[in-house]
């Protein structure tokens, strides 16, 4: 596709429900990131994939958060037993090559706004 | 102390003026620096990148980097109401991610 696509655009969950958020990166992009953005804050890093390998998950706030990218393209961020503090916009971003290459740039999707009631 | 610091604003400037947005970072090994613009309810959009000390100009935008002072700035000349947005500074410290500041909200008043 032309850009990074995320679905759903909005998700309302009851506390305790499991949710799954989907990201379709730009076709051919090697690197994929998930960020969490709380209202009025900058994006906070969650996890990084290089192709299908999850190279860094240091930003995942708890073991309720799980991300996968099994075929090196589409990624899913799963949150189990959602809590109110999980309410945020979840942004997916991709870059063409492995992160850390010279002049590499990150392109963001429109995000999924998660509201936990 | 956060790794990337920005004044949250709002920074209010009149139309046609120069808007100056500032950012400091803590990790001396940082190599790449980016400015993203984020309109309310939208995703961050890359507007400038800078990798070496000095100035880099692109249209009405100028990014300035001073690695010795660990400081990066964005100047917007001839500010327009359409420039009103939150500007996010992001730093790559050669790790596995971009680290973002909290953003500065810019308001350009007609």
């Amino acid at each position: 596709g032309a850009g990074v696509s995320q679905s759903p655009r909005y998700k309302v969950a009851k506390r305790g429900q499991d949710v799954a958020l989907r990201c379709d990166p730009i076709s051919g992009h090697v690197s994929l990131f998930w960020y969490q953005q709380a209202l009025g804050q900058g994006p906070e890093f969650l996890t990084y994939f290089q192709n299908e390998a999850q190279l860094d998950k240091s930003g995942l706030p708890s073991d309720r958060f799980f991300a996968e990218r099994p075929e090196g393209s589409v990624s899913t961020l799963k949150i189990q037993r959602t809590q109110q503090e999980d309410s945020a916009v979840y942004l997916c971003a991709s870059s063409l090559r492995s992160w850390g290459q010279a002049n590499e740039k990150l392109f963001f999707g429109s995000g999924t706004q998660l509201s936990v009631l | 102390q956060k790794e990337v610091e920005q004044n949250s604003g709002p920074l209010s400037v009149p139309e046609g003026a120069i808007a100056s947005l500032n950012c400091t970072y803590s990790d001396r090994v940082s190599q790449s620096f980016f400015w993203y613009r984020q309109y309310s309810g939208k995703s961050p959009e890359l507007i400038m990148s800078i990798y070496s000390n000095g100035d880099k100009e692109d249209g009405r935008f100028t990014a300035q980097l001073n690695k010795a002072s660990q400081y990066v700035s964005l100047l917007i000349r001839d500010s327009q109401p359409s420039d009103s947005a939150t500007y996010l500074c992001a730093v790559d410290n050669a790790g596995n991610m971009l680290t973002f500041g909290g953003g500065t909200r810019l308001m350009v008043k007609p």
Side-chain angles (χ1 to χ4, degrees), chain A residues 36 60-67 77-80 86 90:
Chain A
Q36 180 191 60
L60 296 177
S62 77
D63 58 7
R64 297 186 295 104
F65 287 70
F66 172 78
L77 176 67
K78 297 179 180 177
I79 310 173
Q80 297 177 322
D86 300 334
Y90 290 85

Side-chain angles (χ1 to χ4, degrees), chain A residues 59-111:
Chain A
L60 296 177
S62 77
D63 58 7
R64 297 186 295 104
F65 287 70
F66 172 78
E68 60 183 4
R69 193 186 185 196
E71 297 178 359
S73 54
V74 171
S75 178
T76 304
L77 176 67
K78 297 179 180 177
I79 310 173
Q80 297 177 322
R81 305 181 303 282
T82 52
Q83 304 294 315
Q84 283 188 316
E85 61 262 28
D86 300 334
S87 296
V89 175
Y90 290 85
L91 294 166
C92 177
S94 69
S95 68
L96 179 61
R97 300 173 296 171
S98 302
W99 191 252
Q101 306 256 5
N103 300 328
E104 198 56 31
K105 295 178 174 59
L106 203 57
F107 299 94
F108 282 86
S110 298

Side-chain angles (χ1 to χ4, degrees), chain B residues 35-46:
Chain B
W35 284 98
Y36 283 80
R37 178 176 62 200
Q38 188 173 28
Y39 292 113
S40 181
K42 303 295 185 183
S43 60
E45 172 193 10
L46 180 65

